[in-house]
């Protein structure tokens, strides 16, 4: 597996980033105007969001096994193994 060598951090990139305030307000107003979700739908969407956590690895030394482990935990994020967190995992 080829290693991604990454790139140097450039704080100027963050400083130069702009956000269109009017566009943000428009999107927030659009979200506020949507009807409330049913409890079951809200739970389903929250579980889906949880399943997406930790799919990105940032370490340059990740092995194929570690990436597979992340994917397995994402498929069942509420299992006991997933709840213990990456700091307590086997890797």
């Amino acid at each position: 597996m080829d290693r991604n060598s990454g790139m140097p951090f450039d704080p100027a990139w963050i400083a130069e980033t702009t956000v269109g305030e009017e566009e943000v307000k428009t999107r927030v107003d659009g979200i506020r105007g949507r009807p409330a979700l049913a409890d079951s739908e809200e739970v389903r969407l929250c579980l889906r969001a949880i399943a997406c956590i930790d799919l990105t690895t940032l370490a340059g030394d990740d092995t194929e096994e570690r990436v597979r482990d992340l994917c397995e935990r994402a498929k069942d994020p509420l299992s006991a193994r997933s709840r213990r967190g990456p700091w307590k995992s086997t890797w």
Side-chain angles (χ1 to χ4, degrees):
M1 181 183 287
D2 292 333
R3 181 179 173 175
N4 180 344
S5 61
M7 58 188 273
F9 174 68
D10 181 5
W13 182 82
I14 295 171
E16 295 167 0
T17 302
T18 61
V19 175
E21 188 175 342
E22 288 304 314
E23 179 65 21
V24 171
K25 287 180 181 178
T26 300
R27 288 181 182 236
V28 167
D29 289 343
I31 292 169
R32 284 184 182 153
R34 292 183 184 158
L37 297 172
D39 286 344
S40 61
E41 182 68 2
E42 187 171 350
V43 168
R44 186 187 71 76
L45 291 174
C46 287
L47 290 174
R48 181 69 180 138
I50 291 169
C52 294
I53 295 173
D54 278 342
L55 287 179
T56 303
T57 66
L58 300 176
D61 63 345
D62 284 324
T63 64
E64 201 168 314
E65 181 181 357
R66 288 181 183 176
V67 173
R68 280 196 180 109
D69 185 51
L70 284 173
C71 293
E72 286 302 314
R73 286 193 290 155
K75 288 185 338 190
D76 189 11
L78 300 180
S79 71
R81 184 168 189 271
S82 294
R83 285 194 308 268
R84 73 178 181 219
W87 56 91
K88 295 180 183 174
S89 70
T90 57
W91 43 278

